[in-house]
Amino acid sequence: MALDSILDYPNVVPSDWIWKSPGYPKMQLFLWQMWWGRMPSNVNIHKRIPTTNKFCIFCPHMEEDMNHILRSCPRATEIWVGLKINLLRSNQLNDWLNLNLNNCEISPFAKVPINVIFGFALWFLWIRRNSWVFKKENIKSDVLIKKLCWAATEWFYTKSHTKVGKAPNPPASSTILQWTPPKTSYLKINTDASFLSSSKEACLAAVCRNELGIWVEGIQSKSLACDSAEAEIKAIFMALNWVRDKGWRKVIIATDSMIAWKATNTMTNLSTNTSSLSNECRVLSLELHDVTIIHEGRVTNALADALAKEAKGRRDGFNTICILSNPPPECLRIYDCELNNVLLTSSVEVQEPLTP
Ligand SMILES: [Zn+2]
């Protein structure tokens, strides 16, 4: 996932202070990723997929790196001016972050320390950028300032109380692609199939990720099927065999097909076409150690869906399994987005007050 190398910041020592900076754990993770140049800005995505646009959607001639999104884009500048925070344009992005995130003076704008307002402003600028990129939803600067000040103030005045306040709901923009990771020490495999009724061609895909949302491996294959339900069951069957061959334990296999899920979990046989295959799936999942097949909505299955569509272009012939040790370029944007989503949303937990 490292997009920029460490060489981009030769003078910077990795800093523990980020983990002590004000805000929720998801914000610290965001800062840490940014510090190391790992955020999926257009520039970073362009480095890996040269066909993508590296420019800011609001400033067509400016490259969209994190410095642009958070500091030099006029949309960002407006926020900092509103918050009375110095842009220090001559400073490198990381120096600017370091200075402000360690500044405990009270902000002239809100009655909380500057580092608190600053951290929340960075976070909300990133959220606003994503709202626009993924949902074409614009949040006006004055609204953004109000929201971030409210969130910063709430965080600041509840953090030291015995009863820790409830974190504000994660912004909707960070949950556009709602893939959720498996629980600790589990793997999650999403399966999908793309079926072409005219040729009966079924493109099957499965992608395995760990509890952090990190790509473990993917597989694709082409096959023939009578209908889309059979194609979906074939994808599950392919995934089960993969789990067996790999010797994986503790695996969640997720399909977005309710029919395929029912067929492989219960004794409901759809038709003679799929009944023997469904049976084989049930037998195989029982043989494997702690493997569960679940059904989740389509919105959670975007990566497997993209992978299945991408498999159409394969020329390996039918029933050949193609192993992908990395996400193909066509699927990188979804992968990055979901990975980011896990990093940014998973770690906010409301702490229970300590009982004496
Ligand atoms: Zn811009």
Side-chain angles (χ1 to χ4, degrees), residues 289-337:
H289 189 87
D290 201 354
V291 174
T292 314
I293 303 169
I294 63 166
H295 170 258
E296 286 183 327
R298 281 199 73 175
V299 71
T300 65
N301 213 34
L303 188 57
D305 176 67
L307 215 53
K309 286 184 177 126
E310 204 266 342
K312 275 183 199 164
R314 300 217 74 90
R315 297 280 173 268
D316 311 302
F318 286 103
N319 302 319
T320 307
I321 303 274
C322 168
I323 295 172
L324 305 160
S325 45
N326 288 300
E330 293 80 358
C331 306
L332 262 183
R333 194 179 263 275
I334 293 172
Y335 170 62
D336 273 353
C337 187

Side-chain angles (χ1 to χ4, degrees), residues 56 58-59 68 73-74:
C56 172
F58 295 98
C59 325
H68 184 82
C73 185

Side-chain angles (χ1 to χ4, degrees), residues 197-208:
S197 53
S198 55
S199 61
K200 303 288 176 201
E201 193 177 290
C203 300
L204 316 178
V207 48
C208 179

Side-chain angles (χ1 to χ4, degrees), residues 68-347:
H68 184 82
I69 296 170
L70 299 176
R71 193 161 62 152
S72 61
C73 185
R75 282 163 55 82
T77 307
E78 209 171 51
I79 301 295
W80 299 116
V81 170
L83 293 171
K84 301 188 175 27
I85 288 177
N86 198 327
L87 283 157
L88 300 173
R89 288 182 198 273
S90 57
N91 283 27
Q92 296 259 324
L93 176 66
N94 279 1
D95 294 338
W96 182 64
L97 296 179
N98 197 348
L99 271 174
N100 284 294
L101 288 165
N102 287 296
N103 187 344
C104 300
E105 285 170 39
I106 296 296
S107 155
F109 186 80
K111 290 182 172 42
V112 296
I114 286 174
N115 58 358
V116 177
I117 283 288
F118 185 80
F120 277 85
L122 293 173
W123 171 244
F124 274 74
L125 278 166
W126 175 245
I127 297 299
R128 175 165 81 170
R129 180 263 187 192
N130 290 341
S131 272
W132 180 256
V133 171
F134 298 115
K135 291 200 298 187
K136 294 286 169 280
E137 221 174 66
N138 192 16
I139 303 169
K140 287 185 181 164
S141 292
D142 55 335
V143 176
L144 194 78
I145 289 176
K146 266 186 209 155
K147 280 189 173 182
L148 78 90
C149 285
W150 178 84
T153 310
E154 197 199 54
W155 177 83
F156 184 71
Y157 285 105
T158 53
K159 75 182 164 69
S160 55
H161 294 182
T162 326
K163 189 178 188 329
V164 176
K166 195 177 185 332
N169 289 331
S173 57
S174 65
T175 52
I176 300 157
L177 296 169
Q178 296 175 13
W179 182 81
T180 50
K183 58 185 177 185
T184 311
S185 81
Y186 274 71
L187 294 171
K188 186 169 185 179
I189 295 177
N190 285 80
T191 68
D192 209 356
S194 133
F195 176 68
L196 206 66
S197 53
S198 55
S199 61
K200 303 288 176 201
E201 193 177 290
C203 300
L204 316 178
V207 48
C208 179
R209 280 171 285 183
N210 66 13
E211 67 201 64
L212 299 172
I214 293 168
W215 182 281
V216 175
E217 201 170 86
I219 50 172
Q220 290 172 318
S221 180
K222 275 189 176 182
S223 185
L224 291 170
C226 296
D227 52 30
S228 59
E230 190 187 7
E232 296 279 2
I233 297 169
K234 280 196 166 186
I236 296 174
F237 187 60
M238 175 177 80
L240 286 164
N241 279 295
W242 187 33
V243 171
R244 186 196 53 201
D245 295 347
K246 285 279 180 181
W248 284 332
R249 292 164 160 236
K250 297 185 179 178
V251 183
I252 306 293
I253 297 178
T255 172
D256 62 5
S257 161
M258 181 60 91
I259 299 176
W261 174 72
K262 277 189 180 160
T264 51
N265 269 276
T266 63
M267 296 307 285
T268 325
N269 282 326
L270 307 160
S271 64
T272 44
N273 294 330
T274 54
S275 60
S276 68
L277 188 61
S278 306
N279 271 331
E280 282 187 73
C281 284
R282 284 195 292 266
V283 169
L284 191 48
S285 67
L286 289 172
E287 275 174 20
L288 297 167
H289 189 87
D290 201 354
V291 174
T292 314
I293 303 169
I294 63 166
H295 170 258
E296 286 183 327
R298 281 199 73 175
V299 71
T300 65
N301 213 34
L303 188 57
D305 176 67
L307 215 53
K309 286 184 177 126
E310 204 266 342
K312 275 183 199 164
R314 300 217 74 90
R315 297 280 173 268
D316 311 302
F318 286 103
N319 302 319
T320 307
I321 303 274
C322 168
I323 295 172
L324 305 160
S325 45
N326 288 300
E330 293 80 358
C331 306
L332 262 183
R333 194 179 263 275
I334 293 172
Y335 170 62
D336 273 353
C337 187
E338 292 187 334
L339 178 60
N340 214 33
N341 202 30
V342 171
L343 289 171
L344 299 180
T345 58
S346 63
S347 43

